Amino acid sequence: MTTQTPSHNFHAAKPHEAQPVVDGAAPHDLKPLFLVAWLLCAVFYFFQYAVRSAPGVMQTELTHAWGGNHIGAMISAYYVAYALMALVAGVLLDRYGARRTIPFGIAVVGIGCLVFAQGSEAAGMAGFVLQALGAIFAFIGSSYVAARYLPARMLAMFIGFTQCLGMAGAAFGSKPVHMAIDPAGSFHVGWQSVWIAFAVAGFVLAVATWLVMPKESGDSPSHHGALSFASVVAPFKTVFGNVQSWLAGIVGGLLFLPTTIGALVWATAFLHGGEHMTMAAAASDAAMVPIGWVIGCPLLGYISDKIGRRKPVLIVGALVMLAAGLAAIYVPVGTLPRFSVALLLGVASGAAMIPFSMMKELNPSQVKGTAAGVMNFLVFVMTGIMSPFISHLMLPDQGTPMTLGAFQTALLPLVGGVIVAIVLSFFLRESGTAGAKHSPSIAGVASPKVVSA
């Protein structure tokens, strides 16, 4: 086993400051400063979700200002930029550390909000893409901070809490925007003023994060040499060259699809057109899935951390997802208590976050950020591939309304994806703390020996 000497590119810590960890080794105890640093990143994740959902709330205002509805193209550009930037963000985190990347990512989101507030369609598109470039640092950054500064035995729980806040931002973050711009409401705030307020909030959060984040410069001394093509490619070769990375990415991506495509895109149409529920009732049922995520992500992460194992929680959660998904598609509405199936599907979908923890644990500590970036990239690529495929299946024949059977056939690939994820999960290597006790090496990479500074 190779012994690594400690990295000395940390700023000298003042007596009241918590000492950063050395050589990527997570501390054993939960330290308040590191907890606050993670919390600010998680708040950033909530914030960027609220910002991301704002255009959907102000469609009428944007259509009037731009002379047409171009939100679809804008959202597509957002996710393309988001997925590609995931790879860049991970490398930047590994090379420069959290303090010199995440606050700037928040600031870029704030700048994107200011650009959006200029009012034109071009400014809206450019501002939204800028927001995507900064927003990717939210989840990748918070999971990087959790993996680097918080106890390893609590990693899955904190990543689950991060996703919990993201889903809360998606579910509840748009409410204040709607209240502010609603012509029938009491506030009558202009839509451009909303974007300026978002920008101010982003800049305040960026400064707070910069002040709190530990003062260190990344995970590996090798990342701080001369910047070259080889130094940029090296961490990608490590992560992409690990078969376990591909397995974790595919499993996570497949388990995300029932929520990102099934629940958030097509559930309301399925319940309204196939099960003949009212639109309001269908929307209420579909909304229970992300609410279930808010519960399931930290809960399943906590269970996984508590038992020190990832695979049992992942597989059992996926099996419950499978059962709930089949019930949602094939069991007639009214057979089971209302909201029960959607809520159970959402809670069990928290299993999709377990591979995010495994991706970091199955790769060397020096590439935590790159691993997180690759994981996000793979998940979004799978969503991008499956979304148009499912949309094509949802097209009715010759303009006739979709029947229940047609809806069921169109949603069946999502069920098949969960089955594939369960099968592939058995080939993942156990990476929890209990499993690590029996294996000094994970994913074929020797664990570096930590030397006290």
Side-chain angles (χ1 to χ4, degrees), residues 31-49:
K31 302 195 182 300
L33 177 64
F34 296 165
L35 179 61
V36 173
W38 165 82
L39 181 60
L40 287 172
C41 294
V43 170
F44 176 29
Y45 195 47
F46 175 96
F47 170 71
Q48 64 88 29
Y49 251 115

Side-chain angles (χ1 to χ4, degrees), residues 29 36 59 76 86 95 100 137-138 167-168 170 187 192 196 206 223 232 253 284 293 306 338 355 393 403 413 425 435:
D29 299 321
V36 173
Q59 285 195 45
S76 296
R95 186 173 184 88
R100 293 199 286 170
F137 285 92
M167 282 294 166
F187 299 100
Q192 290 167 283
I196 294 174
H223 292 159
V232 171
S284 296
W293 267 75
K306 188 70 174 177
R338 193 177 177 198
L393 295 177
T403 64
S425 295

Side-chain angles (χ1 to χ4, degrees), residues 260-275:
T260 56
I261 295 178
L264 298 183
V265 178
W266 293 109
T268 301
F270 164 69
L271 294 171
H272 177 64
E275 298 283 2

Side-chain angles (χ1 to χ4, degrees), residues 27-413:
H28 185 268
D29 299 321
L30 186 62
K31 302 195 182 300
L33 177 64
F34 296 165
L35 179 61
V36 173
W38 165 82
L39 181 60
L40 287 172
C41 294
V43 170
F44 176 29
Y45 195 47
F46 175 96
F47 170 71
Q48 64 88 29
Y49 251 115
V51 170
R52 190 191 311 185
S53 63
V57 180
M58 53 180 68
Q59 285 195 45
T60 302
E61 290 78 9
L62 294 178
T63 299
H64 178 74
W66 296 348
N69 192 335
H70 305 283
I71 292 179
M74 188 174 68
I75 292 176
S76 296
Y78 183 100
Y79 281 109
V80 169
Y82 192 90
L84 293 176
M85 190 63 189
L87 299 175
V88 179
V91 172
L92 291 176
L93 278 161
D94 284 332
R95 186 173 184 88
Y96 299 112
R99 191 171 189 262
R100 293 199 286 170
T101 53
I102 298 173
F104 296 99
I106 304 173
V108 168
V109 174
I111 293 170
C113 292
L114 282 181
V115 173
F116 203 113
Q118 300 308 304
S120 67
E121 179 189 345
M125 179 70 76
F128 211 50
V129 170
L130 273 175
Q131 292 165 31
L133 298 180
I136 190 59
F137 285 92
F139 183 79
I140 293 179
S142 60
S143 58
Y144 173 93
V145 170
R148 180 156 174 77
Y149 299 119
L150 303 180
R153 66 181 186 279
M154 307 173 77
L155 175 61
M157 182 180 68
F158 277 106
I159 289 181
F161 271 125
T162 302
Q163 187 63 31
C164 165
L165 282 173
M167 282 294 166
F172 308 116
S174 60
K175 299 295 184 182
V177 176
H178 175 71
M179 292 171 60
I181 67 175
D182 186 2
S186 305
F187 299 100
H188 305 290
V189 176
W191 67 270
Q192 290 167 283
S193 298
V194 171
W195 289 102
I196 294 174
F198 273 140
V200 172
F203 294 143
V204 170
L205 183 59
V207 172
T209 305
W210 185 80
L211 291 173
V212 170
M213 196 63 65
K215 300 177 181 179
E216 53 86 32
S217 304
D219 264 342
S220 172
S222 64
H223 292 159
H224 306 294
L227 184 63
S228 65
F229 178 77
S231 66
V232 171
V233 170
F236 287 114
K237 290 176 66 177
T238 300
V239 178
F240 278 115
N242 183 0
V243 175
Q244 294 290 312
S245 298
W246 289 95
L247 288 173
I250 293 171
V251 169
L254 290 173
L255 294 182
F256 257 82
L257 296 179
T259 299
T260 56
I261 295 178
L264 298 183
V265 178
W266 293 109
T268 301
F270 164 69
L271 294 171
H272 177 64
E275 298 283 2
H276 306 295
M277 296 176 66
T278 65
M279 184 61 75
S284 296
D285 267 32
M288 295 305 294
V289 178
I291 291 174
W293 267 75
V294 172
I295 301 169
C297 286
L299 176 62
L300 297 189
Y302 171 78
I303 295 172
S304 176
D305 286 336
K306 188 70 174 177
I307 67 175
R309 294 191 178 276
R310 307 298 187 209
K311 289 178 63 174
V313 180
L314 171 61
I315 293 170
V316 171
L319 286 170
V320 176
M321 278 185 67
L322 178 61
L326 289 171
I329 296 173
Y330 293 107
V331 175
V333 169
T335 304
L336 299 170
R338 193 177 177 198
F339 300 136
S340 60
V341 173
L343 185 62
L344 182 62
L345 176 61
V347 172
S349 295
M353 298 309 300
I354 301 295
F356 281 79
S357 300
M358 299 182 76
M359 174 68 92
K360 294 177 180 60
E361 294 162 341
L362 292 167
N363 282 286
S365 62
Q366 292 86 352
V367 292
K368 286 187 181 76
T370 304
V374 169
M375 184 70 187
N376 279 265
F377 175 76
L378 292 175
V379 168
F380 276 95
V381 164
M382 294 194 67
T383 302
I385 291 172
M386 289 297 294
S387 183
F389 175 65
I390 300 297
S391 298
H392 175 74
L393 295 177
M394 289 289 182
L395 292 175
D397 295 330
Q398 299 177 348
T400 59
M402 289 276 288
T403 64
L404 176 60
F407 272 114
Q408 291 170 336
T409 300
L411 293 173
L412 199 57

